[in-house]
Amino acid sequence: MAGSRGASKNEVKEREAKEAMKRHLSKKRSWMPGFSWYTLLLSLACAIVATLVTFWSAPPSISGHPPKPSKVSPDAEGLSKQITVNRSAAEVFEYVRKPSTWFEWQRHTNSLRGAIDRVLTPGMQLEQGSVFAGEERAVNWVVETAGMQPGGTKMSLEMLGNFTGSNRTELWSTYTVEGLPSSRCTVRHQLYFENKKHPTMEEQKTRKAAVDAEMREALEILRFNFHSKNAK
């Protein structure tokens, strides 16, 4: 009898252990109820796409002054200004590269000659009467590039200019528009101009300060115009 009771107790313990193991396995399987391999793969694919989109739309990082383009004279002075606009990159770039809008945000522009109602494309030419370095000047522009840069995240308008009466390039102007998240973008204006032909350092500093102020004012007006449109 004692032996029979001992065997019975062992059987009960063994049965309880098996039931505990079943409950443990059941809990592990319940972590993902009803999930199929198809659902898991779809979730993984969505996560990868979300990561790529976040990486692509991250704000651009700009460090230091950009290298001088190869076409620019080694003696040219360089300035660079950048703003952020609460509109899409495509809309802002279309606005910047249509000369008829220059009257709105380059307030010193008093005349334009050429196909000013069309967006600029490579090879197009126009004459702009404006103020440069505090002086009334007429600039003849030739468009070098206008469109998407390699890589597909930036759009640029690059122009070479010379003052009327001169037959050599004296101005190198580039507008770069880059998209940001939430339908925003940055607008960057790079300008190189010949300044060292002026005899004194004081004259060169005065001209550079005047050009700096003109560039900054133009971009601030451009941003204000778009923000005003947003407010309407």
mmCIF file of all heavy atoms in Angstrom, residues 35-79:
data_model
loop_
_atom_site.group_PDB
_atom_site.id
_atom_site.type_symbol
_atom_site.label_atom_id
_atom_site.label_comp_id
_atom_site.label_asym_id
_atom_site.label_seq_id
_atom_site.Cartn_x
_atom_site.Cartn_y
_atom_site.Cartn_z
ATOM 1 N N PHE A 35 -1.127 36.524 -35.394
ATOM 2 C CA PHE A 35 -0.179 37.094 -36.356
ATOM 3 C C PHE A 35 0.314 36.002 -37.303
ATOM 4 O O PHE A 35 0.735 34.940 -36.882
ATOM 5 C CB PHE A 35 1.034 37.695 -35.618
ATOM 6 C CG PHE A 35 0.805 39.116 -35.180
ATOM 7 C CD1 PHE A 35 -0.457 39.547 -34.787
ATOM 8 C CD2 PHE A 35 1.862 40.023 -35.168
ATOM 9 C CE1 PHE A 35 -0.666 40.849 -34.368
ATOM 10 C CE2 PHE A 35 1.655 41.322 -34.756
ATOM 11 C CZ PHE A 35 0.389 41.735 -34.341
ATOM 12 N N SER A 36 0.291 36.316 -38.600
ATOM 13 C CA SER A 36 0.821 35.375 -39.591
ATOM 14 C C SER A 36 2.187 35.873 -40.043
ATOM 15 O O SER A 36 2.581 37.015 -39.790
ATOM 16 C CB SER A 36 -0.136 35.305 -40.790
ATOM 17 O OG SER A 36 -0.182 36.551 -41.444
ATOM 18 N N TRP A 37 2.905 35.005 -40.751
ATOM 19 C CA TRP A 37 4.195 35.419 -41.304
ATOM 20 C C TRP A 37 4.028 36.570 -42.277
ATOM 21 O O TRP A 37 4.865 37.480 -42.341
ATOM 22 C CB TRP A 37 4.856 34.232 -42.005
ATOM 23 C CG TRP A 37 5.531 33.304 -41.055
ATOM 24 C CD1 TRP A 37 5.145 32.052 -40.696
ATOM 25 C CD2 TRP A 37 6.721 33.582 -40.315
ATOM 26 N NE1 TRP A 37 5.993 31.516 -39.771
ATOM 27 C CE2 TRP A 37 6.997 32.437 -39.520
ATOM 28 C CE3 TRP A 37 7.586 34.664 -40.236
ATOM 29 C CZ2 TRP A 37 8.084 32.371 -38.666
ATOM 30 C CZ3 TRP A 37 8.677 34.600 -39.376
ATOM 31 C CH2 TRP A 37 8.920 33.464 -38.610
ATOM 32 N N TYR A 38 2.932 36.592 -43.019
ATOM 33 C CA TYR A 38 2.675 37.685 -43.964
ATOM 34 C C TYR A 38 2.553 39.027 -43.229
ATOM 35 O O TYR A 38 3.127 40.038 -43.637
ATOM 36 C CB TYR A 38 1.392 37.400 -44.754
ATOM 37 C CG TYR A 38 0.964 38.545 -45.645
ATOM 38 C CD1 TYR A 38 1.580 38.756 -46.876
ATOM 39 C CD2 TYR A 38 -0.046 39.419 -45.240
ATOM 40 C CE1 TYR A 38 1.203 39.819 -47.674
ATOM 41 C CE2 TYR A 38 -0.429 40.479 -46.039
ATOM 42 C CZ TYR A 38 0.199 40.673 -47.267
ATOM 43 O OH TYR A 38 -0.173 41.720 -48.053
ATOM 44 N N THR A 39 1.824 39.010 -42.090
ATOM 45 C CA THR A 39 1.639 40.240 -41.316
ATOM 46 C C THR A 39 2.965 40.736 -40.758
ATOM 47 O O THR A 39 3.264 41.932 -40.771
ATOM 48 C CB THR A 39 0.644 39.989 -40.162
ATOM 49 O OG1 THR A 39 -0.564 39.444 -40.705
ATOM 50 C CG2 THR A 39 0.338 41.291 -39.424
ATOM 51 N N LEU A 40 3.781 39.804 -40.264
ATOM 52 C CA LEU A 40 5.080 40.182 -39.721
ATOM 53 C C LEU A 40 5.990 40.789 -40.781
ATOM 54 O O LEU A 40 6.656 41.796 -40.556
ATOM 55 C CB LEU A 40 5.751 38.949 -39.092
ATOM 56 C CG LEU A 40 5.102 38.413 -37.811
ATOM 57 C CD1 LEU A 40 5.768 37.110 -37.404
ATOM 58 C CD2 LEU A 40 5.198 39.440 -36.691
ATOM 59 N N LEU A 41 6.024 40.180 -41.964
ATOM 60 C CA LEU A 41 6.850 40.698 -43.056
ATOM 61 C C LEU A 41 6.374 42.075 -43.502
ATOM 62 O O LEU A 41 7.171 42.968 -43.794
ATOM 63 C CB LEU A 41 6.831 39.716 -44.233
ATOM 64 C CG LEU A 41 7.578 38.400 -44.017
ATOM 65 C CD1 LEU A 41 7.360 37.452 -45.196
ATOM 66 C CD2 LEU A 41 9.076 38.664 -43.838
ATOM 67 N N LEU A 42 5.035 42.258 -43.546
ATOM 68 C CA LEU A 42 4.479 43.553 -43.942
ATOM 69 C C LEU A 42 4.853 44.634 -42.932
ATOM 70 O O LEU A 42 5.222 45.753 -43.307
ATOM 71 C CB LEU A 42 2.959 43.448 -44.061
ATOM 72 C CG LEU A 42 2.217 44.698 -44.568
ATOM 73 C CD1 LEU A 42 2.690 45.072 -45.964
ATOM 74 C CD2 LEU A 42 0.714 44.462 -44.572
ATOM 75 N N SER A 43 4.797 44.309 -41.646
ATOM 76 C CA SER A 43 5.162 45.266 -40.599
ATOM 77 C C SER A 43 6.631 45.648 -40.696
ATOM 78 O O SER A 43 7.006 46.809 -40.542
ATOM 79 C CB SER A 43 4.882 44.663 -39.214
ATOM 80 O OG SER A 43 3.512 44.355 -39.088
ATOM 81 N N LEU A 44 7.476 44.646 -40.969
ATOM 82 C CA LEU A 44 8.909 44.907 -41.112
ATOM 83 C C LEU A 44 9.182 45.819 -42.292
ATOM 84 O O LEU A 44 9.976 46.757 -42.210
ATOM 85 C CB LEU A 44 9.654 43.576 -41.281
ATOM 86 C CG LEU A 44 11.175 43.680 -41.468
ATOM 87 C CD1 LEU A 44 11.821 44.348 -40.251
ATOM 88 C CD2 LEU A 44 11.782 42.299 -41.691
ATOM 89 N N ALA A 45 8.496 45.580 -43.426
ATOM 90 C CA ALA A 45 8.674 46.415 -44.623
ATOM 91 C C ALA A 45 8.258 47.852 -44.353
ATOM 92 O O ALA A 45 8.937 48.799 -44.757
ATOM 93 C CB ALA A 45 7.869 45.836 -45.789
ATOM 94 N N CYS A 46 7.144 48.043 -43.629
ATOM 95 C CA CYS A 46 6.666 49.385 -43.289
ATOM 96 C C CYS A 46 7.683 50.116 -42.413
ATOM 97 O O CYS A 46 7.920 51.314 -42.574
ATOM 98 C CB CYS A 46 5.322 49.325 -42.580
ATOM 99 S SG CYS A 46 3.967 48.826 -43.668
ATOM 100 N N ALA A 47 8.288 49.391 -41.484
ATOM 101 C CA ALA A 47 9.278 50.004 -40.594
ATOM 102 C C ALA A 47 10.503 50.473 -41.374
ATOM 103 O O ALA A 47 11.050 51.552 -41.126
ATOM 104 C CB ALA A 47 9.691 49.009 -39.510
ATOM 105 N N ILE A 48 10.935 49.654 -42.347
ATOM 106 C CA ILE A 48 12.092 50.017 -43.169
ATOM 107 C C ILE A 48 11.792 51.254 -43.997
ATOM 108 O O ILE A 48 12.597 52.186 -44.083
ATOM 109 C CB ILE A 48 12.509 48.838 -44.073
ATOM 110 C CG1 ILE A 48 13.057 47.688 -43.219
ATOM 111 C CG2 ILE A 48 13.543 49.282 -45.099
ATOM 112 C CD1 ILE A 48 13.287 46.411 -43.993
ATOM 113 N N VAL A 49 10.600 51.297 -44.616
ATOM 114 C CA VAL A 49 10.213 52.458 -45.432
ATOM 115 C C VAL A 49 10.156 53.713 -44.581
ATOM 116 O O VAL A 49 10.627 54.780 -44.975
ATOM 117 C CB VAL A 49 8.846 52.210 -46.118
ATOM 118 C CG1 VAL A 49 8.327 53.498 -46.754
ATOM 119 C CG2 VAL A 49 8.979 51.121 -47.168
ATOM 120 N N ALA A 50 9.586 53.622 -43.376
ATOM 121 C CA ALA A 50 9.490 54.785 -42.485
ATOM 122 C C ALA A 50 10.870 55.308 -42.115
ATOM 123 O O ALA A 50 11.098 56.518 -42.054
ATOM 124 C CB ALA A 50 8.710 54.404 -41.226
ATOM 125 N N THR A 51 11.815 54.386 -41.876
ATOM 126 C CA THR A 51 13.183 54.790 -41.548
ATOM 127 C C THR A 51 13.826 55.535 -42.702
ATOM 128 O O THR A 51 14.489 56.562 -42.521
ATOM 129 C CB THR A 51 14.034 53.558 -41.184
ATOM 130 O OG1 THR A 51 13.418 52.884 -40.089
ATOM 131 C CG2 THR A 51 15.445 53.972 -40.805
ATOM 132 N N LEU A 52 13.632 55.028 -43.933
ATOM 133 C CA LEU A 52 14.220 55.672 -45.113
ATOM 134 C C LEU A 52 13.626 57.055 -45.342
ATOM 135 O O LEU A 52 14.344 58.000 -45.679
ATOM 136 C CB LEU A 52 13.992 54.793 -46.354
ATOM 137 C CG LEU A 52 14.772 53.472 -46.387
ATOM 138 C CD1 LEU A 52 14.357 52.643 -47.597
ATOM 139 C CD2 LEU A 52 16.277 53.738 -46.420
ATOM 140 N N VAL A 53 12.316 57.195 -45.155
ATOM 141 C CA VAL A 53 11.669 58.496 -45.350
ATOM 142 C C VAL A 53 12.192 59.509 -44.341
ATOM 143 O O VAL A 53 12.477 60.660 -44.665
ATOM 144 C CB VAL A 53 10.132 58.357 -45.228
ATOM 145 C CG1 VAL A 53 9.478 59.733 -45.143
ATOM 146 C CG2 VAL A 53 9.585 57.594 -46.420
ATOM 147 N N THR A 54 12.347 59.077 -43.076
ATOM 148 C CA THR A 54 12.860 59.966 -42.037
ATOM 149 C C THR A 54 14.275 60.427 -42.358
ATOM 150 O O THR A 54 14.628 61.594 -42.222
ATOM 151 C CB THR A 54 12.854 59.248 -40.670
ATOM 152 O OG1 THR A 54 11.513 58.841 -40.391
ATOM 153 C CG2 THR A 54 13.368 60.157 -39.571
ATOM 154 N N PHE A 55 15.108 59.496 -42.835
ATOM 155 C CA PHE A 55 16.481 59.826 -43.195
ATOM 156 C C PHE A 55 16.530 60.806 -44.352
ATOM 157 O O PHE A 55 17.285 61.773 -44.354
ATOM 158 C CB PHE A 55 17.241 58.540 -43.553
ATOM 159 C CG PHE A 55 18.664 58.785 -43.975
ATOM 160 C CD1 PHE A 55 19.648 59.000 -43.030
ATOM 161 C CD2 PHE A 55 18.999 58.792 -45.330
ATOM 162 C CE1 PHE A 55 20.957 59.224 -43.420
ATOM 163 C CE2 PHE A 55 20.302 59.016 -45.721
ATOM 164 C CZ PHE A 55 21.276 59.233 -44.765
ATOM 165 N N TRP A 56 15.684 60.573 -45.391
ATOM 166 C CA TRP A 56 15.691 61.426 -46.580
ATOM 167 C C TRP A 56 15.236 62.832 -46.260
ATOM 168 O O TRP A 56 15.747 63.806 -46.793
ATOM 169 C CB TRP A 56 14.783 60.814 -47.646
ATOM 170 C CG TRP A 56 14.669 61.684 -48.869
ATOM 171 C CD1 TRP A 56 15.507 61.725 -49.931
ATOM 172 C CD2 TRP A 56 13.633 62.632 -49.158
ATOM 173 N NE1 TRP A 56 15.076 62.641 -50.852
ATOM 174 C CE2 TRP A 56 13.937 63.205 -50.405
ATOM 175 C CE3 TRP A 56 12.500 63.051 -48.462
ATOM 176 C CZ2 TRP A 56 13.133 64.181 -50.981
ATOM 177 C CZ3 TRP A 56 11.703 64.021 -49.037
ATOM 178 C CH2 TRP A 56 12.025 64.580 -50.283
ATOM 179 N N SER A 57 14.244 62.972 -45.347
ATOM 180 C CA SER A 57 13.657 64.286 -45.098
ATOM 181 C C SER A 57 14.345 65.057 -43.980
ATOM 182 O O SER A 57 13.870 66.112 -43.577
ATOM 183 C CB SER A 57 12.169 64.128 -44.754
ATOM 184 O OG SER A 57 12.000 63.337 -43.595
ATOM 185 N N ALA A 58 15.439 64.539 -43.455
ATOM 186 C CA ALA A 58 16.138 65.254 -42.398
ATOM 187 C C ALA A 58 16.680 66.584 -42.911
ATOM 188 O O ALA A 58 17.051 66.697 -44.077
ATOM 189 C CB ALA A 58 17.298 64.385 -41.879
ATOM 190 N N PRO A 59 16.728 67.620 -42.062
ATOM 191 C CA PRO A 59 17.232 68.918 -42.508
ATOM 192 C C PRO A 59 18.654 68.822 -43.011
ATOM 193 O O PRO A 59 19.455 68.037 -42.510
ATOM 194 C CB PRO A 59 17.155 69.766 -41.223
ATOM 195 C CG PRO A 59 16.143 69.087 -40.375
ATOM 196 C CD PRO A 59 16.260 67.621 -40.687
ATOM 197 N N PRO A 60 19.005 69.636 -44.013
ATOM 198 C CA PRO A 60 20.364 69.585 -44.557
ATOM 199 C C PRO A 60 21.373 70.093 -43.543
ATOM 200 O O PRO A 60 21.074 70.984 -42.751
ATOM 201 C CB PRO A 60 20.288 70.502 -45.776
ATOM 202 C CG PRO A 60 19.180 71.446 -45.452
ATOM 203 C CD PRO A 60 18.185 70.654 -44.654
ATOM 204 N N SER A 61 22.550 69.552 -43.544
ATOM 205 C CA SER A 61 23.613 70.033 -42.661
ATOM 206 C C SER A 61 24.625 70.796 -43.498
ATOM 207 O O SER A 61 25.102 70.308 -44.516
ATOM 208 C CB SER A 61 24.296 68.857 -41.955
ATOM 209 O OG SER A 61 24.819 67.957 -42.910
ATOM 210 N N ILE A 62 24.929 72.002 -43.065
ATOM 211 C CA ILE A 62 25.870 72.853 -43.803
ATOM 212 C C ILE A 62 26.958 73.268 -42.827
ATOM 213 O O ILE A 62 26.683 73.820 -41.777
ATOM 214 C CB ILE A 62 25.167 74.100 -44.375
ATOM 215 C CG1 ILE A 62 24.062 73.673 -45.346
ATOM 216 C CG2 ILE A 62 26.145 75.007 -45.074
ATOM 217 C CD1 ILE A 62 23.173 74.806 -45.790
ATOM 218 N N SER A 63 28.199 73.004 -43.181
ATOM 219 C CA SER A 63 29.307 73.354 -42.298
ATOM 220 C C SER A 63 30.303 74.220 -43.043
ATOM 221 O O SER A 63 30.812 73.844 -44.092
ATOM 222 C CB SER A 63 30.001 72.094 -41.775
ATOM 223 O OG SER A 63 30.453 71.314 -42.854
ATOM 224 N N GLY A 64 30.581 75.419 -42.480
ATOM 225 C CA GLY A 64 31.583 76.292 -43.069
ATOM 226 C C GLY A 64 31.158 76.893 -44.395
ATOM 227 O O GLY A 64 30.022 76.772 -44.833
ATOM 228 N N HIS A 65 32.088 77.574 -45.041
ATOM 229 C CA HIS A 65 31.817 78.198 -46.328
ATOM 230 C C HIS A 65 32.027 77.177 -47.443
ATOM 231 O O HIS A 65 32.997 76.429 -47.428
ATOM 232 C CB HIS A 65 32.745 79.409 -46.540
ATOM 233 C CG HIS A 65 32.240 80.371 -47.568
ATOM 234 N ND1 HIS A 65 32.392 80.142 -48.912
ATOM 235 C CD2 HIS A 65 31.562 81.533 -47.448
ATOM 236 C CE1 HIS A 65 31.841 81.146 -49.593
ATOM 237 N NE2 HIS A 65 31.332 82.003 -48.724
ATOM 238 N N PRO A 66 31.133 77.116 -48.434
ATOM 239 C CA PRO A 66 31.277 76.141 -49.504
ATOM 240 C C PRO A 66 32.502 76.431 -50.360
ATOM 241 O O PRO A 66 32.942 77.576 -50.461
ATOM 242 C CB PRO A 66 29.990 76.339 -50.327
ATOM 243 C CG PRO A 66 29.565 77.742 -50.028
ATOM 244 C CD PRO A 66 29.967 77.992 -48.619
ATOM 245 N N PRO A 67 33.079 75.397 -50.982
ATOM 246 C CA PRO A 67 34.243 75.632 -51.840
ATOM 247 C C PRO A 67 33.873 76.497 -53.033
ATOM 248 O O PRO A 67 32.752 76.439 -53.532
ATOM 249 C CB PRO A 67 34.643 74.209 -52.293
ATOM 250 C CG PRO A 67 33.397 73.393 -52.116
ATOM 251 C CD PRO A 67 32.670 73.995 -50.949
ATOM 252 N N LYS A 68 34.823 77.304 -53.484
ATOM 253 C CA LYS A 68 34.580 78.208 -54.610
ATOM 254 C C LYS A 68 34.444 77.399 -55.905
ATOM 255 O O LYS A 68 35.288 76.553 -56.209
ATOM 256 C CB LYS A 68 35.745 79.188 -54.734
ATOM 257 C CG LYS A 68 35.535 80.287 -55.759
ATOM 258 C CD LYS A 68 36.708 81.256 -55.780
ATOM 259 C CE LYS A 68 36.765 82.081 -54.519
ATOM 260 N NZ LYS A 68 37.798 83.140 -54.603
ATOM 261 N N PRO A 69 33.345 77.629 -56.677
ATOM 262 C CA PRO A 69 33.173 76.899 -57.944
ATOM 263 C C PRO A 69 34.341 77.136 -58.896
ATOM 264 O O PRO A 69 34.987 78.189 -58.860
ATOM 265 C CB PRO A 69 31.869 77.498 -58.510
ATOM 266 C CG PRO A 69 31.155 78.049 -57.330
ATOM 267 C CD PRO A 69 32.221 78.525 -56.383
ATOM 268 N N SER A 70 34.592 76.161 -59.756
ATOM 269 C CA SER A 70 35.751 76.234 -60.650
ATOM 270 C C SER A 70 35.672 77.401 -61.632
ATOM 271 O O SER A 70 36.691 77.921 -62.079
ATOM 272 C CB SER A 70 35.892 74.920 -61.418
ATOM 273 O OG SER A 70 34.708 74.654 -62.160
ATOM 274 N N LYS A 71 34.433 77.825 -61.988
ATOM 275 C CA LYS A 71 34.280 78.910 -62.966
ATOM 276 C C LYS A 71 34.537 80.291 -62.376
ATOM 277 O O LYS A 71 34.643 81.267 -63.099
ATOM 278 C CB LYS A 71 32.877 78.874 -63.567
ATOM 279 C CG LYS A 71 32.576 77.614 -64.350
ATOM 280 C CD LYS A 71 31.134 77.602 -64.826
ATOM 281 C CE LYS A 71 30.816 76.286 -65.533
ATOM 282 N NZ LYS A 71 29.398 76.208 -65.943
ATOM 283 N N VAL A 72 34.610 80.379 -61.064
ATOM 284 C CA VAL A 72 34.757 81.672 -60.401
ATOM 285 C C VAL A 72 36.209 82.121 -60.427
ATOM 286 O O VAL A 72 37.130 81.333 -60.227
ATOM 287 C CB VAL A 72 34.253 81.583 -58.941
ATOM 288 C CG1 VAL A 72 34.528 82.867 -58.194
ATOM 289 C CG2 VAL A 72 32.773 81.265 -58.921
ATOM 290 N N SER A 73 36.403 83.421 -60.662
ATOM 291 C CA SER A 73 37.751 83.990 -60.660
ATOM 292 C C SER A 73 38.398 83.797 -59.299
ATOM 293 O O SER A 73 37.751 83.960 -58.261
ATOM 294 C CB SER A 73 37.673 85.481 -60.987
ATOM 295 O OG SER A 73 38.891 86.132 -60.662
ATOM 296 N N PRO A 74 39.684 83.452 -59.247
ATOM 297 C CA PRO A 74 40.357 83.239 -57.964
ATOM 298 C C PRO A 74 40.389 84.498 -57.105
ATOM 299 O O PRO A 74 40.560 84.436 -55.888
ATOM 300 C CB PRO A 74 41.775 82.802 -58.346
ATOM 301 C CG PRO A 74 41.867 82.865 -59.814
ATOM 302 C CD PRO A 74 40.543 83.156 -60.397
ATOM 303 N N ASP A 75 40.249 85.668 -57.737
ATOM 304 C CA ASP A 75 40.297 86.939 -57.002
ATOM 305 C C ASP A 75 38.915 87.395 -56.531
ATOM 306 O O ASP A 75 38.783 88.459 -55.930
ATOM 307 C CB ASP A 75 40.907 88.045 -57.886
ATOM 308 C CG ASP A 75 42.364 87.760 -58.233
ATOM 309 O OD1 ASP A 75 43.055 87.150 -57.396
ATOM 310 O OD2 ASP A 75 42.795 88.141 -59.334
ATOM 311 N N ALA A 76 37.870 86.616 -56.804
ATOM 312 C CA ALA A 76 36.508 87.050 -56.482
ATOM 313 C C ALA A 76 36.222 86.942 -54.987
ATOM 314 O O ALA A 76 36.702 86.038 -54.311
ATOM 315 C CB ALA A 76 35.497 86.220 -57.267
ATOM 316 N N GLU A 77 35.444 87.900 -54.489
ATOM 317 C CA GLU A 77 34.936 87.871 -53.119
ATOM 318 C C GLU A 77 33.690 86.986 -53.091
ATOM 319 O O GLU A 77 32.914 86.966 -54.047
ATOM 320 C CB GLU A 77 34.549 89.274 -52.664
ATOM 321 C CG GLU A 77 35.725 90.211 -52.487
ATOM 322 C CD GLU A 77 36.273 90.188 -51.064
ATOM 323 O OE1 GLU A 77 35.923 89.239 -50.319
ATOM 324 O OE2 GLU A 77 37.028 91.087 -50.714
ATOM 325 N N GLY A 78 33.471 86.285 -51.987
ATOM 326 C CA GLY A 78 32.308 85.404 -51.891
ATOM 327 C C GLY A 78 31.449 85.705 -50.676
ATOM 328 O O GLY A 78 31.962 86.014 -49.598
ATOM 329 N N LEU A 79 30.125 85.639 -50.872
ATOM 330 C CA LEU A 79 29.163 85.798 -49.780
ATOM 331 C C LEU A 79 28.099 84.722 -49.898
ATOM 332 O O LEU A 79 27.770 84.291 -51.010
ATOM 333 C CB LEU A 79 28.499 87.176 -49.831
ATOM 334 C CG LEU A 79 29.365 88.379 -49.440
ATOM 335 C CD1 LEU A 79 28.659 89.676 -49.808
ATOM 336 C CD2 LEU A 79 29.692 88.350 -47.952
#
